Amino acid sequence: MENLEKKQIDMQYNVKLFPIYKLFSWDLLFYYAINFLFFTTVKGLNPADVLLIDAFYPLFKLILQIPSAVIVNKFGNRKSLIVGNLILCSSILCILLANSLALLIASQLLMACGYVLKNLTETNLLFSSVENSSKKNDKFSKVDARGSALYYMLDAVTSLTSGFLFVYNGYLPIVFCFVLCVVSLILSCSFRETKEIKPNIPIKQNFLDIKDGFKFIFQSKRLKSLIIFYAIFSSVISLRSTLSSSLFTDISLPEQYFGIFYAIGQIVSSIGAYTQSWFHNRFRNRALTVFSLIVTFSMIAMGFCQVIGLNFGLTLEIILICLSLQCLVKGPYYTLIKRYLNSFSNESTRTKIYAANEIPYCITNSLLCFACSGLLSITNTSYVYIIVGCVSSVVFIFLLEHMKHTVGLKPEEYSKQEIEFTQLH
């Protein structure tokens, strides 16, 4: 009884701490608004090299998925999360000190290792800390969305600041990024483990357990559909950040305005994150369709506004509207996709689901970055936007048609195998 009471107190503590932790830790602060400028002006790379670096990051994540899942399975969420944040700090230090493309690629190996561990543990730590009830998914989404919204607001402030800091000294935003990574590390040490850890399980048995879990996951039609959608959509969203910076460079936008545009986008994402429940209730099983079409069509519009030769002011207005639409979608998307993946799962299966979910994403993201890096070496960013937007629109139309029969069904419409997925150990 005493142990049960302590576990409940620890769970409540984690739920309260999580939004504060996510405020500083969900992704890099001070970084994305100026990372393209930092690599091209401070480190002397060209746009194709920057996308090459981006391509190696998901490739490294792919390689590290299964070993990281074994680590989390053996040592638990809290210890793995602390190690992940520690490695992430070292990756930012590597970026600061790197004097060659090879070292910058090495920094992506460290960053990938840190984020794989974080991605496998953060959501699982929160979901396992939310009290079991009929409203567990709603409570999880509410807490996770609050952390996302807070992060987007802070990211807006830091992005706005980073543009001006970069003009003063190109290294300052990365230094501040490192400081906040240390804050994330300190906060991660404050979480309490709620999962019973079994340290005596041999490493080989952990690998076999992960293998069996993956086999079951990829037999699930619902999970396969969600995982494929996540792989493609998240890859497009991830690529959008680097391409928008490249587009700003093509239209000669002053460097300090990079941060302003990025900050506006993050404010819009914060609003979207706060309204994730509205998106879910309003669109239900059509939410992913709405998200994908908004993103792809707005990307095509961003490409065409420069191709057809609009004046600078009108081009900037169209780009800002399109970016705002993409960011409005990004806000609720990450919370809702995790909610959908968590359905019919338990604490034992979620780590396997998150690991299995990342593998196709890493492959897709890496291939897309390599392809766009090649395209940027022979054409400009506008045409890359149009090509990516058109191709991904066609892919989403076919994929979403298939998903009508596998995702968003009523519980009684799923097969017995899908519902009994929680019995996997």
Side-chain angles (χ1 to χ4, degrees):
M1 182 66 70
E2 184 178 340
N3 288 337
L4 181 61
E5 184 178 349
K6 181 181 182 303
K7 182 177 180 179
Q8 289 176 335
I9 292 172
D10 290 344
M11 288 168 62
Q12 292 170 1
Y13 174 82
N14 287 345
V15 169
K16 289 179 181 178
L17 176 62
F18 190 84
I20 301 170
Y21 167 78
K22 193 167 186 178
L23 166 66
F24 294 100
S25 309
W26 190 20
D27 212 340
L28 298 176
L29 296 163
F30 286 101
Y31 182 78
Y32 292 106
I34 53 83
N35 69 317
F36 183 85
L37 288 173
F38 181 78
F39 287 137
T40 53
T41 60
V42 177
K43 299 298 182 179
L45 305 181
N46 58 50
D49 288 336
V50 178
L51 271 173
L52 187 64
I53 292 173
D54 288 347
F56 273 103
Y57 172 69
L59 196 60
F60 291 141
K61 286 182 72 176
L62 172 64
I63 297 168
L64 294 165
Q65 283 301 321
I66 294 179
S68 297
V70 171
I71 290 172
V72 175
N73 206 37
K74 185 170 180 63
F75 296 105
N77 292 316
R78 179 180 175 273
K79 289 181 179 178
S80 302
L81 181 59
I82 293 170
V83 172
N85 279 293
L86 181 62
I87 294 173
L88 187 61
C89 290
S90 67
S91 74
I92 302 302
L93 269 180
C94 187
I95 289 173
L96 279 168
L97 301 175
N99 56 6
S100 68
L101 179 61
L103 285 175
L104 287 171
I105 291 175
S107 73
Q108 299 305 295
L109 174 60
L110 293 171
M111 189 177 292
C113 185
Y115 270 116
V116 167
L117 288 171
K118 282 164 62 69
N119 291 339
L120 290 177
T121 53
E122 287 171 339
T123 301
N124 202 13
L125 187 67
L126 172 61
F127 202 84
S128 62
S129 296
V130 176
E131 186 177 356
N132 287 320
S133 70
S134 59
K135 294 188 177 294
K136 184 180 178 78
N137 271 332
D138 290 334
K139 179 67 181 294
F140 162 81
S141 297
K142 184 177 179 181
V143 176
D144 186 66
R146 188 188 311 143
S148 300
L150 290 172
Y151 163 81
Y152 284 131
M153 291 301 293
L154 179 59
D155 195 26
V157 174
T158 59
S159 298
L160 185 64
T161 308
S162 64
F164 293 96
L165 288 173
F166 183 85
V167 173
Y168 179 74
N169 186 307
Y171 282 93
L172 277 179
I174 310 299
V175 171
F176 280 106
C177 176
F178 172 74
V179 171
L180 290 185
C181 283
V182 173
V183 172
S184 300
L185 173 61
I186 294 170
L187 287 172
S188 66
C189 295
S190 301
F191 280 113
R192 298 170 184 175
E193 185 63 72
T194 59
K195 176 183 177 182
E196 183 181 352
I197 303 171
K198 300 175 182 178
N200 295 325
I201 298 177
I203 293 290
K204 182 179 179 180
Q205 183 59 45
N206 273 282
F207 269 108
L208 292 174
D209 186 36
I210 296 293
K211 178 185 174 182
D212 290 342
F214 276 28
K215 182 179 178 180
F216 193 97
I217 287 164
F218 286 115
Q219 289 175 348
S220 164
K221 293 180 180 179
R222 184 187 70 87
L223 280 173
K224 275 195 296 188
S225 295
L226 285 171
I227 287 170
I228 292 170
F229 181 89
Y230 178 87
I232 300 171
F233 188 80
S234 299
S235 296
V236 172
I237 286 285
S238 176
L239 180 71
R240 177 197 60 86
S241 177
T242 300
L243 284 183
S244 61
S245 295
S246 182
L247 188 62
F248 290 155
T249 302
D250 288 352
I251 65 175
S252 301
L253 185 72
E255 294 173 348
Q256 58 268 34
Y257 290 101
F258 278 54
I260 294 174
F261 270 61
Y262 195 86
I264 293 172
Q266 295 305 80
I267 291 171
V268 174
S269 290
S270 177
I271 296 170
Y274 269 122
T275 57
Q276 58 83 26
S277 59
W278 179 87
F279 276 96
H280 175 70
N281 294 329
R282 174 67 178 82
F283 296 109
R284 291 294 175 179
N285 57 352
R286 293 182 292 113
L288 298 181
T289 301
V290 173
F291 292 169
S292 57
L293 295 181
I294 286 176
V295 168
T296 54
F297 288 168
S298 62
M299 290 181 73
I300 295 170
M302 287 175 67
F304 269 116
C305 71
Q306 190 184 10
V307 169
I308 63 179
L310 299 179
N311 63 61
F312 179 79
L314 186 56
T315 297
L316 212 56
E317 289 176 8
I318 293 174
I319 290 174
L320 182 57
I321 292 170
C322 290
L323 285 176
S324 297
L325 287 172
Q326 293 165 14
C327 290
L328 182 65
V329 163
K330 185 178 72 170
Y333 163 71
Y334 284 108
T335 293
L336 291 180
I337 195 69
K338 282 183 283 187
R339 174 176 179 157
Y340 302 153
L341 288 167
N342 285 335
S343 297
F344 310 135
S345 71
N346 59 24
E347 189 167 354
S348 172
T349 61
R350 279 192 296 274
T351 299
K352 302 177 183 71
I353 291 173
Y354 301 149
N357 185 48
E358 286 292 313
I359 290 173
Y361 163 68
C362 291
I363 295 171
T364 306
N365 195 8
S366 182
L367 290 174
L368 190 58
C369 287
F370 276 122
C372 289
S373 176
L375 287 172
L376 275 179
S377 65
I378 59 175
T379 188
N380 61 38
T381 314
S382 297
Y383 285 107
V384 176
Y385 255 120
I386 294 170
I387 293 169
V388 172
C390 289
V391 172
S392 55
S393 294
V394 174
V395 171
F396 282 128
I397 289 170
F398 283 102
L399 176 59
L400 291 163
E401 179 63 29
H402 169 73
M403 289 175 67
K404 287 180 181 179
H405 310 290
T406 58
V407 178
L409 308 179
K410 296 177 181 178
E412 61 270 20
E413 294 177 312
Y414 285 112
S415 67
K416 184 180 179 181
Q417 183 188 36
E418 298 278 4
I419 302 299
E420 289 182 345
F421 182 65
T422 55
Q423 302 306 312
L424 179 66
H425 296 290

PDB file of all heavy atoms in Angstrom, residues 159-186:
ATOM      1  N   SER A 159      13.648  32.978 -30.761  1.00  0.00           N
ATOM      2  CA  SER A 159      13.894  33.118 -32.200  1.00  0.00           C
ATOM      3  C   SER A 159      13.988  34.586 -32.589  1.00  0.00           C
ATOM      4  O   SER A 159      14.842  34.977 -33.386  1.00  0.00           O
ATOM      5  CB  SER A 159      12.770  32.444 -33.002  1.00  0.00           C
ATOM      6  OG  SER A 159      12.713  31.075 -32.737  1.00  0.00           O
ATOM      7  N   LEU A 160      13.090  35.374 -32.022  1.00  0.00           N
ATOM      8  CA  LEU A 160      13.117  36.812 -32.283  1.00  0.00           C
ATOM      9  C   LEU A 160      14.437  37.410 -31.810  1.00  0.00           C
ATOM     10  O   LEU A 160      15.050  38.234 -32.498  1.00  0.00           O
ATOM     11  CB  LEU A 160      11.939  37.480 -31.554  1.00  0.00           C
ATOM     12  CG  LEU A 160      11.735  38.971 -31.795  1.00  0.00           C
ATOM     13  CD1 LEU A 160      11.399  39.251 -33.255  1.00  0.00           C
ATOM     14  CD2 LEU A 160      10.627  39.496 -30.894  1.00  0.00           C
ATOM     15  N   THR A 161      14.895  36.953 -30.666  1.00  0.00           N
ATOM     16  CA  THR A 161      16.154  37.446 -30.104  1.00  0.00           C
ATOM     17  C   THR A 161      17.355  36.934 -30.883  1.00  0.00           C
ATOM     18  O   THR A 161      18.326  37.669 -31.100  1.00  0.00           O
ATOM     19  CB  THR A 161      16.283  36.992 -28.631  1.00  0.00           C
ATOM     20  OG1 THR A 161      15.107  37.358 -27.918  1.00  0.00           O
ATOM     21  CG2 THR A 161      17.491  37.627 -27.971  1.00  0.00           C
ATOM     22  N   SER A 162      17.285  35.690 -31.339  1.00  0.00           N
ATOM     23  CA  SER A 162      18.455  35.066 -31.970  1.00  0.00           C
ATOM     24  C   SER A 162      18.859  35.756 -33.266  1.00  0.00           C
ATOM     25  O   SER A 162      20.041  35.819 -33.604  1.00  0.00           O
ATOM     26  CB  SER A 162      18.190  33.580 -32.229  1.00  0.00           C
ATOM     27  OG  SER A 162      17.135  33.409 -33.154  1.00  0.00           O
ATOM     28  N   GLY A 163      17.875  36.292 -34.015  1.00  0.00           N
ATOM     29  CA  GLY A 163      18.204  36.996 -35.254  1.00  0.00           C
ATOM     30  C   GLY A 163      19.080  38.207 -34.995  1.00  0.00           C
ATOM     31  O   GLY A 163      20.064  38.452 -35.714  1.00  0.00           O
ATOM     32  N   PHE A 164      18.736  38.981 -33.959  1.00  0.00           N
ATOM     33  CA  PHE A 164      19.517  40.173 -33.629  1.00  0.00           C
ATOM     34  C   PHE A 164      20.848  39.791 -32.967  1.00  0.00           C
ATOM     35  O   PHE A 164      21.877  40.454 -33.193  1.00  0.00           O
ATOM     36  CB  PHE A 164      18.701  41.093 -32.717  1.00  0.00           C
ATOM     37  CG  PHE A 164      17.496  41.683 -33.392  1.00  0.00           C
ATOM     38  CD1 PHE A 164      16.252  41.101 -33.254  1.00  0.00           C
ATOM     39  CD2 PHE A 164      17.615  42.793 -34.209  1.00  0.00           C
ATOM     40  CE1 PHE A 164      15.140  41.631 -33.891  1.00  0.00           C
ATOM     41  CE2 PHE A 164      16.514  43.343 -34.850  1.00  0.00           C
ATOM     42  CZ  PHE A 164      15.271  42.751 -34.692  1.00  0.00           C
ATOM     43  N   LEU A 165      20.837  38.728 -32.137  1.00  0.00           N
ATOM     44  CA  LEU A 165      22.091  38.249 -31.548  1.00  0.00           C
ATOM     45  C   LEU A 165      23.060  37.794 -32.633  1.00  0.00           C
ATOM     46  O   LEU A 165      24.268  38.042 -32.541  1.00  0.00           O
ATOM     47  CB  LEU A 165      21.822  37.085 -30.591  1.00  0.00           C
ATOM     48  CG  LEU A 165      21.158  37.409 -29.251  1.00  0.00           C
ATOM     49  CD1 LEU A 165      20.810  36.127 -28.508  1.00  0.00           C
ATOM     50  CD2 LEU A 165      22.077  38.277 -28.390  1.00  0.00           C
ATOM     51  N   PHE A 166      22.518  37.151 -33.662  1.00  0.00           N
ATOM     52  CA  PHE A 166      23.358  36.651 -34.748  1.00  0.00           C
ATOM     53  C   PHE A 166      24.031  37.800 -35.495  1.00  0.00           C
ATOM     54  O   PHE A 166      25.208  37.704 -35.871  1.00  0.00           O
ATOM     55  CB  PHE A 166      22.528  35.809 -35.722  1.00  0.00           C
ATOM     56  CG  PHE A 166      23.340  35.206 -36.828  1.00  0.00           C
ATOM     57  CD1 PHE A 166      24.002  34.000 -36.643  1.00  0.00           C
ATOM     58  CD2 PHE A 166      23.472  35.844 -38.054  1.00  0.00           C
ATOM     59  CE1 PHE A 166      24.775  33.446 -37.653  1.00  0.00           C
ATOM     60  CE2 PHE A 166      24.234  35.301 -39.072  1.00  0.00           C
ATOM     61  CZ  PHE A 166      24.887  34.095 -38.876  1.00  0.00           C
ATOM     62  N   VAL A 167      23.299  38.876 -35.708  1.00  0.00           N
ATOM     63  CA  VAL A 167      23.879  40.046 -36.379  1.00  0.00           C
ATOM     64  C   VAL A 167      25.032  40.621 -35.555  1.00  0.00           C
ATOM     65  O   VAL A 167      26.057  41.043 -36.088  1.00  0.00           O
ATOM     66  CB  VAL A 167      22.795  41.125 -36.629  1.00  0.00           C
ATOM     67  CG1 VAL A 167      23.413  42.411 -37.159  1.00  0.00           C
ATOM     68  CG2 VAL A 167      21.754  40.603 -37.616  1.00  0.00           C
ATOM     69  N   TYR A 168      24.867  40.576 -34.211  1.00  0.00           N
ATOM     70  CA  TYR A 168      25.918  41.098 -33.330  1.00  0.00           C
ATOM     71  C   TYR A 168      27.103  40.146 -33.283  1.00  0.00           C
ATOM     72  O   TYR A 168      28.258  40.548 -33.428  1.00  0.00           O
ATOM     73  CB  TYR A 168      25.341  41.308 -31.926  1.00  0.00           C
ATOM     74  CG  TYR A 168      26.352  41.834 -30.928  1.00  0.00           C
ATOM     75  CD1 TYR A 168      26.766  43.160 -30.967  1.00  0.00           C
ATOM     76  CD2 TYR A 168      26.890  40.997 -29.946  1.00  0.00           C
ATOM     77  CE1 TYR A 168      27.696  43.649 -30.054  1.00  0.00           C
ATOM     78  CE2 TYR A 168      27.812  41.464 -29.033  1.00  0.00           C
ATOM     79  CZ  TYR A 168      28.212  42.796 -29.099  1.00  0.00           C
ATOM     80  OH  TYR A 168      29.139  43.263 -28.195  1.00  0.00           O
ATOM     81  N   ASN A 169      26.827  38.846 -33.088  1.00  0.00           N
ATOM     82  CA  ASN A 169      27.878  37.815 -33.048  1.00  0.00           C
ATOM     83  C   ASN A 169      27.252  36.474 -33.428  1.00  0.00           C
ATOM     84  O   ASN A 169      26.341  36.005 -32.746  1.00  0.00           O
ATOM     85  CB  ASN A 169      28.510  37.732 -31.651  1.00  0.00           C
ATOM     86  CG  ASN A 169      29.692  36.778 -31.596  1.00  0.00           C
ATOM     87  OD1 ASN A 169      29.586  35.628 -31.986  1.00  0.00           O
ATOM     88  ND2 ASN A 169      30.828  37.248 -31.095  1.00  0.00           N
ATOM     89  N   GLY A 170      27.738  35.869 -34.499  1.00  0.00           N
ATOM     90  CA  GLY A 170      27.134  34.653 -35.016  1.00  0.00           C
ATOM     91  C   GLY A 170      27.122  33.491 -34.050  1.00  0.00           C
ATOM     92  O   GLY A 170      26.295  32.574 -34.182  1.00  0.00           O
ATOM     93  N   TYR A 171      28.023  33.477 -33.059  1.00  0.00           N
ATOM     94  CA  TYR A 171      28.110  32.355 -32.121  1.00  0.00           C
ATOM     95  C   TYR A 171      27.152  32.493 -30.932  1.00  0.00           C
ATOM     96  O   TYR A 171      26.834  31.494 -30.286  1.00  0.00           O
ATOM     97  CB  TYR A 171      29.534  32.228 -31.580  1.00  0.00           C
ATOM     98  CG  TYR A 171      30.489  31.566 -32.544  1.00  0.00           C
ATOM     99  CD1 TYR A 171      31.265  32.322 -33.421  1.00  0.00           C
ATOM    100  CD2 TYR A 171      30.617  30.179 -32.591  1.00  0.00           C
ATOM    101  CE1 TYR A 171      32.145  31.720 -34.318  1.00  0.00           C
ATOM    102  CE2 TYR A 171      31.490  29.556 -33.469  1.00  0.00           C
ATOM    103  CZ  TYR A 171      32.247  30.334 -34.335  1.00  0.00           C
ATOM    104  OH  TYR A 171      33.101  29.730 -35.218  1.00  0.00           O
ATOM    105  N   LEU A 172      26.686  33.698 -30.644  1.00  0.00           N
ATOM    106  CA  LEU A 172      25.891  33.928 -29.436  1.00  0.00           C
ATOM    107  C   LEU A 172      24.621  33.075 -29.363  1.00  0.00           C
ATOM    108  O   LEU A 172      24.332  32.492 -28.305  1.00  0.00           O
ATOM    109  CB  LEU A 172      25.540  35.419 -29.307  1.00  0.00           C
ATOM    110  CG  LEU A 172      26.608  36.312 -28.670  1.00  0.00           C
ATOM    111  CD1 LEU A 172      26.132  37.757 -28.622  1.00  0.00           C
ATOM    112  CD2 LEU A 172      26.936  35.833 -27.261  1.00  0.00           C
ATOM    113  N   PRO A 173      23.822  32.973 -30.443  1.00  0.00           N
ATOM    114  CA  PRO A 173      22.606  32.138 -30.336  1.00  0.00           C
ATOM    115  C   PRO A 173      22.916  30.683 -30.000  1.00  0.00           C
ATOM    116  O   PRO A 173      22.171  30.044 -29.240  1.00  0.00           O
ATOM    117  CB  PRO A 173      21.977  32.258 -31.736  1.00  0.00           C
ATOM    118  CG  PRO A 173      22.501  33.540 -32.288  1.00  0.00           C
ATOM    119  CD  PRO A 173      23.900  33.655 -31.751  1.00  0.00           C
ATOM    120  N   ILE A 174      24.014  30.142 -30.539  1.00  0.00           N
ATOM    121  CA  ILE A 174      24.363  28.746 -30.257  1.00  0.00           C
ATOM    122  C   ILE A 174      24.819  28.595 -28.806  1.00  0.00           C
ATOM    123  O   ILE A 174      24.547  27.573 -28.165  1.00  0.00           O
ATOM    124  CB  ILE A 174      25.456  28.252 -31.224  1.00  0.00           C
ATOM    125  CG1 ILE A 174      25.081  28.557 -32.682  1.00  0.00           C
ATOM    126  CG2 ILE A 174      25.687  26.755 -31.055  1.00  0.00           C
ATOM    127  CD1 ILE A 174      23.803  27.893 -33.131  1.00  0.00           C
ATOM    128  N   VAL A 175      25.502  29.603 -28.268  1.00  0.00           N
ATOM    129  CA  VAL A 175      25.915  29.584 -26.864  1.00  0.00           C
ATOM    130  C   VAL A 175      24.687  29.563 -25.952  1.00  0.00           C
ATOM    131  O   VAL A 175      24.605  28.773 -24.997  1.00  0.00           O
ATOM    132  CB  VAL A 175      26.810  30.800 -26.536  1.00  0.00           C
ATOM    133  CG1 VAL A 175      27.049  30.903 -25.028  1.00  0.00           C
ATOM    134  CG2 VAL A 175      28.133  30.710 -27.275  1.00  0.00           C
ATOM    135  N   PHE A 176      23.708  30.418 -26.259  1.00  0.00           N
ATOM    136  CA  PHE A 176      22.472  30.440 -25.462  1.00  0.00           C
ATOM    137  C   PHE A 176      21.709  29.126 -25.607  1.00  0.00           C
ATOM    138  O   PHE A 176      21.073  28.652 -24.664  1.00  0.00           O
ATOM    139  CB  PHE A 176      21.588  31.622 -25.876  1.00  0.00           C
ATOM    140  CG  PHE A 176      22.016  32.928 -25.273  1.00  0.00           C
ATOM    141  CD1 PHE A 176      22.656  33.884 -26.030  1.00  0.00           C
ATOM    142  CD2 PHE A 176      21.773  33.202 -23.934  1.00  0.00           C
ATOM    143  CE1 PHE A 176      23.059  35.095 -25.480  1.00  0.00           C
ATOM    144  CE2 PHE A 176      22.154  34.411 -23.362  1.00  0.00           C
ATOM    145  CZ  PHE A 176      22.809  35.365 -24.135  1.00  0.00           C
ATOM    146  N   CYS A 177      21.766  28.540 -26.792  1.00  0.00           N
ATOM    147  CA  CYS A 177      21.147  27.228 -27.020  1.00  0.00           C
ATOM    148  C   CYS A 177      21.760  26.189 -26.088  1.00  0.00           C
ATOM    149  O   CYS A 177      21.045  25.390 -25.471  1.00  0.00           O
ATOM    150  CB  CYS A 177      21.331  26.822 -28.485  1.00  0.00           C
ATOM    151  SG  CYS A 177      20.713  25.176 -28.880  1.00  0.00           S
ATOM    152  N   PHE A 178      23.072  26.212 -25.960  1.00  0.00           N
ATOM    153  CA  PHE A 178      23.764  25.270 -25.078  1.00  0.00           C
ATOM    154  C   PHE A 178      23.344  25.478 -23.622  1.00  0.00           C
ATOM    155  O   PHE A 178      23.112  24.498 -22.889  1.00  0.00           O
ATOM    156  CB  PHE A 178      25.276  25.451 -25.211  1.00  0.00           C
ATOM    157  CG  PHE A 178      26.075  24.656 -24.211  1.00  0.00           C
ATOM    158  CD1 PHE A 178      26.222  23.285 -24.346  1.00  0.00           C
ATOM    159  CD2 PHE A 178      26.662  25.292 -23.119  1.00  0.00           C
ATOM    160  CE1 PHE A 178      26.939  22.554 -23.411  1.00  0.00           C
ATOM    161  CE2 PHE A 178      27.385  24.567 -22.181  1.00  0.00           C
ATOM    162  CZ  PHE A 178      27.531  23.192 -22.337  1.00  0.00           C
ATOM    163  N   VAL A 179      23.231  26.731 -23.192  1.00  0.00           N
ATOM    164  CA  VAL A 179      22.836  27.031 -21.807  1.00  0.00           C
ATOM    165  C   VAL A 179      21.465  26.427 -21.492  1.00  0.00           C
ATOM    166  O   VAL A 179      21.255  25.812 -20.435  1.00  0.00           O
ATOM    167  CB  VAL A 179      22.822  28.554 -21.570  1.00  0.00           C
ATOM    168  CG1 VAL A 179      22.202  28.883 -20.209  1.00  0.00           C
ATOM    169  CG2 VAL A 179      24.236  29.118 -21.642  1.00  0.00           C
ATOM    170  N   LEU A 180      20.510  26.567 -22.423  1.00  0.00           N
ATOM    171  CA  LEU A 180      19.178  26.034 -22.179  1.00  0.00           C
ATOM    172  C   LEU A 180      19.154  24.506 -22.271  1.00  0.00           C
ATOM    173  O   LEU A 180      18.303  23.862 -21.651  1.00  0.00           O
ATOM    174  CB  LEU A 180      18.176  26.643 -23.164  1.00  0.00           C
ATOM    175  CG  LEU A 180      17.888  28.133 -22.918  1.00  0.00           C
ATOM    176  CD1 LEU A 180      16.791  28.640 -23.843  1.00  0.00           C
ATOM    177  CD2 LEU A 180      17.475  28.390 -21.464  1.00  0.00           C
ATOM    178  N   CYS A 181      20.072  23.928 -23.021  1.00  0.00           N
ATOM    179  CA  CYS A 181      20.204  22.462 -23.020  1.00  0.00           C
ATOM    180  C   CYS A 181      20.653  21.972 -21.646  1.00  0.00           C
ATOM    181  O   CYS A 181      20.215  20.909 -21.177  1.00  0.00           O
ATOM    182  CB  CYS A 181      21.204  22.008 -24.087  1.00  0.00           C
ATOM    183  SG  CYS A 181      20.560  22.036 -25.770  1.00  0.00           S
ATOM    184  N   VAL A 182      21.508  22.739 -20.990  1.00  0.00           N
ATOM    185  CA  VAL A 182      21.943  22.398 -19.625  1.00  0.00           C
ATOM    186  C   VAL A 182      20.755  22.501 -18.659  1.00  0.00           C
ATOM    187  O   VAL A 182      20.600  21.662 -17.760  1.00  0.00           O
ATOM    188  CB  VAL A 182      23.094  23.323 -19.178  1.00  0.00           C
ATOM    189  CG1 VAL A 182      23.440  23.083 -17.710  1.00  0.00           C
ATOM    190  CG2 VAL A 182      24.325  23.100 -20.050  1.00  0.00           C
ATOM    191  N   VAL A 183      19.921  23.529 -18.852  1.00  0.00           N
ATOM    192  CA  VAL A 183      18.706  23.655 -18.036  1.00  0.00           C
ATOM    193  C   VAL A 183      17.823  22.421 -18.210  1.00  0.00           C
ATOM    194  O   VAL A 183      17.278  21.875 -17.241  1.00  0.00           O
ATOM    195  CB  VAL A 183      17.920  24.930 -18.413  1.00  0.00           C
ATOM    196  CG1 VAL A 183      16.560  24.967 -17.699  1.00  0.00           C
ATOM    197  CG2 VAL A 183      18.725  26.175 -18.072  1.00  0.00           C
ATOM    198  N   SER A 184      17.687  21.957 -19.457  1.00  0.00           N
ATOM    199  CA  SER A 184      16.900  20.755 -19.736  1.00  0.00           C
ATOM    200  C   SER A 184      17.477  19.541 -19.017  1.00  0.00           C
ATOM    201  O   SER A 184      16.738  18.707 -18.476  1.00  0.00           O
ATOM    202  CB  SER A 184      16.873  20.482 -21.243  1.00  0.00           C
ATOM    203  OG  SER A 184      16.293  21.544 -21.943  1.00  0.00           O
ATOM    204  N   LEU A 185      18.790  19.435 -19.012  1.00  0.00           N
ATOM    205  CA  LEU A 185      19.458  18.331 -18.332  1.00  0.00           C
ATOM    206  C   LEU A 185      19.142  18.343 -16.840  1.00  0.00           C
ATOM    207  O   LEU A 185      18.820  17.305 -16.245  1.00  0.00           O
ATOM    208  CB  LEU A 185      20.969  18.416 -18.556  1.00  0.00           C
ATOM    209  CG  LEU A 185      21.854  17.439 -17.784  1.00  0.00           C
ATOM    210  CD1 LEU A 185      21.513  15.994 -18.152  1.00  0.00           C
ATOM    211  CD2 LEU A 185      23.331  17.727 -18.044  1.00  0.00           C
ATOM    212  N   ILE A 186      19.202  19.517 -16.233  1.00  0.00           N
ATOM    213  CA  ILE A 186      18.926  19.644 -14.795  1.00  0.00           C
ATOM    214  C   ILE A 186      17.483  19.255 -14.489  1.00  0.00           C
ATOM    215  O   ILE A 186      17.196  18.529 -13.527  1.00  0.00           O
ATOM    216  CB  ILE A 186      19.214  21.087 -14.320  1.00  0.00           C
ATOM    217  CG1 ILE A 186      20.717  21.393 -14.445  1.00  0.00           C
ATOM    218  CG2 ILE A 186      18.746  21.297 -12.886  1.00  0.00           C
ATOM    219  CD1 ILE A 186      21.079  22.851 -14.236  1.00  0.00           C
TER     220      ILE A 186
END
